[in-house]
Amino acid sequence: EMAAKSDDKTLVVSNITREIREEADFLKLFEPFGEVSSAKLAPARHDGTVLGAVGFVTFVSKEDAERAMNTLNGYGPRGWDQRTLTLDWASI
């Protein structure tokens, strides 16, 4: 079946600030919400840089993923480059 659906644990994160260049820094955003099984940044440009990147984070539990999405969607801490994170459920 080709219909896209969510696994209820994986979030796609866009509008990531330039301050987050490493997957370890990306992971730190989500660790307070629960156990993360995977956190990946997708390079935004052909040279491999992650400026303005999109990332994917998978939690062990649906509840932790929901808490992270509800808290971080629209999050943009002081000092960031005026960006706010956009989170949504990833289609699988």
Side-chain angles (χ1 to χ4, degrees):
E1 185 173 292
M2 297 299 289
K5 61 178 185 170
S6 170
D7 67 358
D8 293 334
K9 296 179 188 172
T10 302
L11 302 173
V12 60
V13 185
S14 55
N15 210 26
I16 298 171
T17 179
R18 291 182 176 98
E19 276 86 28
I20 296 176
R21 296 172 188 253
E22 303 290 331
E23 285 183 353
D25 296 328
F26 182 60
L27 176 61
K28 285 178 191 171
L29 279 175
F30 298 98
E31 287 177 327
F33 300 98
E35 188 176 352
V36 174
S37 59
S38 168
K40 302 273 186 219
L41 286 171
R45 300 201 319 221
H46 297 295
D47 63 4
T49 61
V50 296
L51 300 178
V54 170
F56 297 89
V57 60
T58 302
F59 284 87
V60 171
S61 83
K62 176 182 179 178
E63 293 76 21
D64 292 344
E66 287 176 338
R67 190 167 44 254
M69 183 159 62
N70 291 337
T71 304
L72 292 178
N73 200 17
Y75 177 70
R78 195 177 180 103
W80 278 19
D81 53 11
Q82 305 302 314
R83 294 176 189 238
T84 58
L85 295 175
T86 303
L87 283 76
D88 202 354
W89 296 109
S91 295
I92 58 169

